[in-house]
Each structure stands twice: as structure tokens, then as C-alpha cells.
Amino acid sequence: MTTAPTTWLEGSEQPLSAAYDIALLDLDGVCYRGKAPVDFAAEGIAAARANGMRAMFVTNNANRPPHTVAEQLTSLDIPARDAEILTAAQAGAAILADDLPSGSVVLAVGGPGLHEALREYGFVVTETADDAPAAVIQGFNPEVNWSKMSEAALAIRAGARFVATNLDATLPLERGQHLGNGALVAAVVHATGVTPVSGGKPQAEIFHRAVEKAGGGTALAVGDRLDTDLAGARAAGVPGLYVLTGVSDARDVVLAIPAERPAFLATDLRGMNVPHPPVTVEVTDDLATASCRGSVATCDGERLTLGGAELGANAASLGLDDWRALAAAAWASDDALPALNSMPVSPCVTSSR
């Protein structure tokens, strides 16, 4: 028996920047790493804008206010205005504004971006539990320490509502993956037993707010992290473009659960400006076969093959169509985990698209 399952991967005869009105672009790992630019980010965004695509930069990093983010992007040859930035700090403050009246006291654990977002909604910001805050909101800041997190724990134990701007476990910087806000939030959760509501990705609302802020239209979410960027895109009903420039790698994509699967795959932001070929999938008995142009992959849950051969060392250098076919075959298989665990290395995708 042969069936054709939904593979999640989509094709586009047009460049994505012509097919969609707005790019909802992640920052860390997509546009820059710390102070360093990501290769081809400026080039990809400039070409997308030339095709008529608008840019909204949607970030889970709540440390800095929008004008500081815009200044950094501009310094990296990605011109940006404050109005094109939406941070998790702004999304978290909006959550509090839905429930608390203006003038409420909120304990902020985080940086200038979080403090500014709270004040824009009319909240009184404090850093001590002695002020009996109505809520605690925690966002990333390199200076968050034991004392500040203890104040948050004291306030939460006294009944304050707990909101986290985001729950990313790691933060991609120049030297690699550093502790993210989610790792710090976990300490407060462990101390209080209270799980926070999150304002950032993968929550759908931050994507909806970004589209509204951009003036509406069809959106494409672009990210490097499956559990936030791409999961959030799925939750929001927005097609996602995954790029191989940050946290998750090619192997992670092949293993992705349905809720985190992207609609399109590319190595970097130049992938916004090219057509994307369709991927066809057939399942016969227990064997899934996926084809993308000349690349053919199969998966039976135990073995993942490309062109009839097991990956082995070939996984170290794949073309983008190979990667697309491998992902689609694995996704269509009932259980691809054993097949992927047998791969000696993570796939390294060499195509520039």
C-alpha cells in the first residue's frame, strides 16, 4: 500500500522574498552572534528588501531596548528602525498589561530593554520584593545574579505573578552557546515551584504582534532554533524558513518533531531570495521515499539512505537538495530515531541556498 503523507516541506516557484510580504527575522544566530555578523545576513536581507519584502526583527533577547538593537543591526550593514524591532521584553510587558492596571508595581529581573518596555506600559519598576510587587518578570541580562533572582523568588512566594520573557536554554555568542534566559529562569522555578508564563517564542502571540506591527500581510518566519523560532512559527500558522547559522544543526532538523518542522530549508539568509523546489514523498509499507530534484532518500526507521547508500561519512558533506530529501524521508517514517542515531556525524550542508 502506498500513501503520500504530509511532509511539512513546501516548494515555492518564486523567491520567498517575492512570495511573502514580511520576514519575521530572528536575531541571535541569524543576523549576528554577539557583536559579530552572521555571514551573508546583510546580503540576504538587502536582496529581500529589494524584492519588496518588509523586515521585522523578532527576538527572544530581552536585554536591550529596540533602539540599541536597531543601532547594532545598522552598524552591521542591516539598516533597521526602532519600529522594526519586537523584543520578548515588549511581548512580556504586553502580557502583564492584559491583566494588571497601569501603575502596578512589577519586579524586573533583567536589563534596560525590560525596564524600558515595562515603563512604556505604565508600570512602576522595582528590584526588591519589599515593594510587594504584583508581578515578577524575568529576562536575560549578563548581570543577573543570585541576589536578583532571590528577590524574584521572595516576591513569587509572596504571591506575585511570574512571567518570563523567554525560555531559551542557550544564547549563541561568538565563542559558542552560553547560558540563556531559560537556564536562569529554571533556578527560580526550582526555588519556588512556580512555572512562569512566557511572552517570547515559541508562543504564537509574539508572531501575531510582529505581523500587526509591520502593517499586516503574509509572513515568513526565519530562524535558527527549532524549539523557539520554528515551533513558534508552527503555533502561529506562519511558514518557517530554517537557516543553518545558529543553534540547531542539520541533524536536529532531520530529527525534528512535527511541531518544530520548518516549511523551507536554507543554509543562510540568501535562501530568502531563491525559489525552493518541491519535495515528493511516497510511503510503501514501512519504507518512506523522498525525492527533491535529483536527490532521493529513504527511511524505514532503522536505516536512512541517500541514493541507495547509507550515509556514513558522506553525512559530512551534503547538498541542500540531499538535506531536503533526507528530512522529508525521516519525517515520513514512523520512527526515524534509530536511523539518525546510527549517523556518525551531523550532516554538513554545503549548498549556499
Side-chain angles (χ1 to χ4, degrees), residues 7-286:
T7 67
W8 295 114
L9 282 178
E10 300 177 17
S12 176
E13 294 182 358
Q14 295 179 290
L16 299 181
S17 53
Y20 295 91
D21 301 319
I22 311 161
L24 306 180
L25 292 152
D26 183 50
L27 290 177
D28 294 297
V30 173
C31 296
Y32 52 63
R33 298 183 195 91
K35 296 180 180 179
V38 167
D39 290 343
F40 308 113
E43 174 187 329
I45 293 169
R49 283 172 160 161
N51 275 342
M53 194 178 218
R54 287 167 276 151
M56 278 294 298
F57 300 93
V58 186
T59 177
N60 266 3
N61 192 327
N63 184 35
R64 299 181 299 164
H67 68 270
T68 304
V69 175
E71 287 174 358
Q72 180 180 357
L73 286 168
T74 301
S75 75
L76 298 175
D77 295 324
I78 304 172
R81 298 176 288 109
D82 295 7
E84 294 174 319
I85 313 296
L86 182 61
T87 72
Q90 294 171 304
I95 287 175
L96 290 176
D98 288 340
D99 295 332
L100 299 177
S102 179
S104 297
V105 178
V106 175
L107 191 155
V109 180
L114 182 58
H115 287 238
E116 181 177 299
L118 291 168
R119 291 192 176 105
E120 286 178 353
Y121 279 93
F123 293 120
V124 176
V125 180
T126 185
E127 294 186 349
T128 174
D130 292 340
D131 288 337
V136 169
I137 184 167
Q138 184 173 354
F140 176 77
N141 183 273
E143 298 178 1
V144 168
N145 56 28
W146 173 86
S147 177
K148 293 177 180 180
M149 289 194 290
S150 292
E151 291 296 325
L154 289 169
I156 293 164
R157 285 186 172 278
R161 185 178 180 194
F162 188 18
V163 171
T165 59
N166 66 291
L167 297 172
D168 297 44
T170 58
L171 177 65
L173 298 176
E174 297 93 334
R175 294 172 57 207
Q177 302 302 319
H178 293 235
L179 288 176
N181 192 54
L184 303 177
V185 169
V188 178
V189 172
H190 188 61
T192 63
V194 177
T195 300
V197 173
S198 175
K201 297 177 279 190
Q203 302 304 314
E205 186 58 30
I206 192 170
F207 292 89
H208 297 155
R209 291 182 189 274
V211 172
E212 181 180 359
K213 190 172 182 179
T218 58
L220 174 75
V222 185
D224 66 304
R225 189 174 193 129
L226 295 171
D227 61 353
T228 56
D229 303 323
L230 279 306
R234 284 286 171 201
V238 174
L241 169 65
Y242 172 82
V243 290
L244 265 176
T245 53
V247 174
S248 304
D249 63 21
R251 187 175 188 272
D252 295 329
V253 173
V254 177
L255 278 173
I257 62 173
E260 297 179 0
R261 291 173 184 168
F264 303 101
L265 301 176
T267 53
D268 53 61
L269 288 184
R270 291 176 295 177
M272 292 193 296
N273 303 304
V274 293
H276 285 246
V279 181
T280 60
V281 177
E282 288 188 349
V283 178
T284 304
D285 297 325
D286 295 325

